[in-house]
Amino acid sequence: YGNIDLSNEKNNGHTITINSFSFCEYWAKKVFTDDQDNPDAYSVPDFEPVSSDSDKYVHLIVAGMTRMGFALAVQAARLGHLANHQKRKTRITLIDSNADRESNYFASRYQSFFDAVDVESINLFTGEINHKRGSLPFINIELRFVKGHFESPAIRQKLLDWTSDTDALTTLAIAFNDPGAGMAAGLYLPEEIYSRNTRILIRQDSVHSGVSLLIPDGKTTNNKFRNVKVFGMLDNCPGLVGENSYKAMMVNYFYYSGNQMPGKFTEDLFESILQNWEKLEERHKWSSRHNAESIPVKLRTIGSGGYEEDILKKGFSEEIINKLAEIEHTRWNVDTLLSGYSPAPEEIQEESIRTADLIWKAMKDNEGDFEAEEVKRLKKQHEEYMNGWKRQMIHPCIMPFENLSEYYRETDRRLSKSIPVIESEYSRQVSLKQTI
């Protein structure tokens, strides 16, 4: 997906823009991205508060290793970074009768990520279980591939076992391509699962599917299917009218702005932000979009679910900023691996840290002035070194937060510190549009 500008002299200066999109990826974003103003919104993966000392963890179970199933798994991996990420890993379980073949496809598509994480493979036809240790133990995601027929007694027993874990915030997504098979699978689960705190998603082609008839009066409190929702409908497809990149533009601005926090977003400032965004390569735009999508998750980790709460009005404390900076780098590690980058060998990491530390020292010596000549000279040298490896799809910053140069830790802090500004400005823009 992307944005292609076909403007040239032959079309008299007119700009022809083609916006392409992935149906499955947009639906995965819709079901897992917080939409607090929408009463019909889907439940986010971390649908209960998770504090730093909590034993709770996110568990996504996907039935059907289809394109939709993979899209859900990848989106959960991007968003599953909570306050207790050093204690409990987000678990993603994928079930398919051809799981061995489909897991090979997943691995080839996301090789760097697959190599980095712990993987368990279960073959319920043979009883064989295999474990692969991830190359990067600090990555807080673990995968499980289960080969078996979803309707089999063995899978049904596994579902009962997994959903009985009171520490697990479990979402079960039925992602079969066949709507009829998906409906049957979602509505004939073991009875105990419906009474548990498990979110159930069933892929369907139409909004007016059989599930809408299960709660005819709109009352969900005592209804057996209160936690069941349909998704993936062709007649309710997100993304066709383009997406709102407003927050992502501001994320990009704060990434490059140094530690300057504007008191007010003037028209001139936003015009500058927009111009910088339009010049940005598409892959960097997506990096900013993924960061923006993670903001609601981060707010929930510090107990703030709304824009009007004091924690946003007053700004974040130093403790919160440091916590969110660590979560941001944890999220960035996974996103960068999913983008195809591999971690760098130790000697390359050491050199990247050394040259970044020189920038940080020069900045401190120049009282934080990003525009000081010595800072710009060292930054140019460092970026040339980094870009040489990044062109080979090797990223020297894939490492634990505590191993980063202070130069990069400060970048993560800056992005975290900017969240209240981004949220308040976005809320203001929404209010302005509603009054027009």
Side-chain angles (χ1 to χ4, degrees), residues 26 112 146 219 264 281 302 330 364 367 407 436:
Y26 270 107
S112 297
V146 181
K219 296 179 180 179
K264 186 176 181 181
E281 291 183 22
I302 58 172
T330 303
K364 300 296 283 185
E367 298 181 345
Y407 173 70
I436 294 176

Side-chain angles (χ1 to χ4, degrees), residues 49-57 83-85 87-88 167 169:
V50 179
S51 62
S52 298
D53 58 354
S54 173
D55 288 321
K56 292 187 180 296
Y57 67 98
N84 64 343
H85 63 91
K87 183 177 183 181
R88 298 302 302 261
D167 286 334
L169 304 178

Side-chain angles (χ1 to χ4, degrees), residues 4 8 23 32-33 48 54 68 85 102 104 119 142 158 167 197 208 215 220 227 263 295 340 347 375:
I4 306 171
N8 55 44
F23 175 84
F32 286 155
T33 300
E48 289 183 6
S54 173
M68 184 67 81
H85 63 91
E102 297 299 334
N104 288 334
V119 179
E142 56 188 16
K158 288 289 186 185
D167 286 334
N197 202 23
H208 300 290
I215 312 177
T220 61
N227 288 326
I295 288 176
E347 61 272 16
V375 173

Side-chain angles (χ1 to χ4, degrees), residues 329 332 353 357 396-409 412:
H329 185 68
W332 179 90
I353 293 170
D357 283 347
C397 287
I398 299 175
M399 63 177 73
F401 179 79
E402 59 269 19
N403 292 359
L404 283 173
S405 165
E406 190 65 22
Y407 173 70
Y408 283 109
R409 287 201 289 260
D412 289 327

Side-chain angles (χ1 to χ4, degrees), residues 75 85 103 108 137 206 213 221 238 242 272 296 339 342 346 376 398 431:
Q75 186 67 5
H85 63 91
S103 64
S108 63
S206 171
L213 303 176
T221 305
S272 174
S339 299
S342 298
E346 186 176 348
K376 291 197 292 187
I398 299 175
S431 298

Side-chain angles (χ1 to χ4, degrees), residues 386-426:
M386 297 287 282
N387 289 337
W389 292 111
K390 286 191 279 187
R391 282 191 288 271
Q392 301 177 52
M393 298 304 291
I394 295 172
H395 207 303
C397 287
I398 299 175
M399 63 177 73
F401 179 79
E402 59 269 19
N403 292 359
L404 283 173
S405 165
E406 190 65 22
Y407 173 70
Y408 283 109
R409 287 201 289 260
E410 183 61 22
T411 300
D412 289 327
R413 293 188 192 105
R414 181 166 68 249
L415 290 172
S416 301
K417 186 165 58 175
S418 72
I419 290 175
V421 181
I422 292 173
E423 289 297 331
S424 61
E425 176 60 18
Y426 179 74

Side-chain angles (χ1 to χ4, degrees), residues 127-334:
E128 184 180 5
I129 301 176
N130 292 308
H131 296 271
K132 177 194 76 69
R133 284 293 253 182
S135 60
L136 303 177
F138 57 87
I139 300 297
N140 65 314
I141 306 290
E142 56 188 16
L143 297 176
R144 177 196 284 140
F145 296 101
V146 181
K147 181 179 173 69
H149 294 302
F150 188 74
E151 71 280 4
S152 69
I155 290 290
R156 292 171 70 85
Q157 184 58 53
K158 288 289 186 185
L159 292 175
L160 285 170
D161 294 341
W162 295 330
T163 58
S164 67
D165 184 351
T166 55
D167 286 334
L169 304 178
T170 306
T171 299
L172 170 58
I174 314 296
F176 299 148
N177 289 328
D178 181 353
M183 180 67 74
L187 300 185
Y188 296 103
L189 296 166
E191 285 294 316
E192 296 91 331
I193 293 178
Y194 297 111
S195 63
R196 293 172 180 171
N197 202 23
T198 300
R199 276 39 177 179
I200 300 168
L201 301 171
I202 305 175
R203 182 182 181 181
Q204 292 291 284
D205 286 345
S206 171
V207 172
H208 300 290
S209 66
V211 174
S212 63
L213 303 176
L214 299 176
I215 312 177
D217 58 359
K219 296 179 180 179
T220 61
T221 305
N222 298 314
N223 192 289
K224 169 183 172 180
F225 299 107
R226 64 189 180 279
N227 288 326
V228 177
K229 279 184 174 287
V230 296
F231 77 105
M233 293 79 75
L234 297 172
D235 54 351
N236 184 24
C237 178
L240 284 175
V241 294
E243 66 176 304
N244 190 335
S245 293
Y246 194 89
K247 288 186 184 182
M249 291 181 194
M250 288 193 284
V251 167
N252 180 63
Y253 165 75
F254 282 112
Y255 181 82
Y256 290 107
S257 68
N259 278 319
Q260 302 304 311
M261 288 282 165
K264 186 176 181 181
F265 276 83
T266 63
E267 288 188 16
D268 288 343
L269 176 56
F270 188 72
E271 182 61 31
S272 174
I273 292 172
L274 182 59
Q275 289 176 1
N276 290 336
W277 178 258
E278 290 175 345
K279 295 174 186 176
L280 205 61
E281 291 183 22
E282 193 63 30
R283 62 191 177 95
H284 294 311
K285 287 182 179 179
W286 278 105
S287 179
S288 293
R289 289 180 184 122
H290 292 154
N291 179 294
E293 289 168 4
S294 74
I295 288 176
V297 184
K298 293 169 182 169
L299 291 176
R300 290 193 295 273
T301 68
I302 58 172
S304 174
Y307 302 149
E308 300 304 321
E309 296 184 27
D310 287 345
I311 200 169
L312 284 175
K313 288 182 176 180
K314 297 177 181 177
F316 294 155
S317 67
E318 184 176 344
E319 179 184 0
I320 287 176
I321 290 170
N322 286 330
K323 179 189 295 185
L324 292 181
E326 186 178 318
I327 293 172
E328 165 55 23
H329 185 68
T330 303
R331 180 207 66 80
W332 179 90
N333 276 332
V334 170

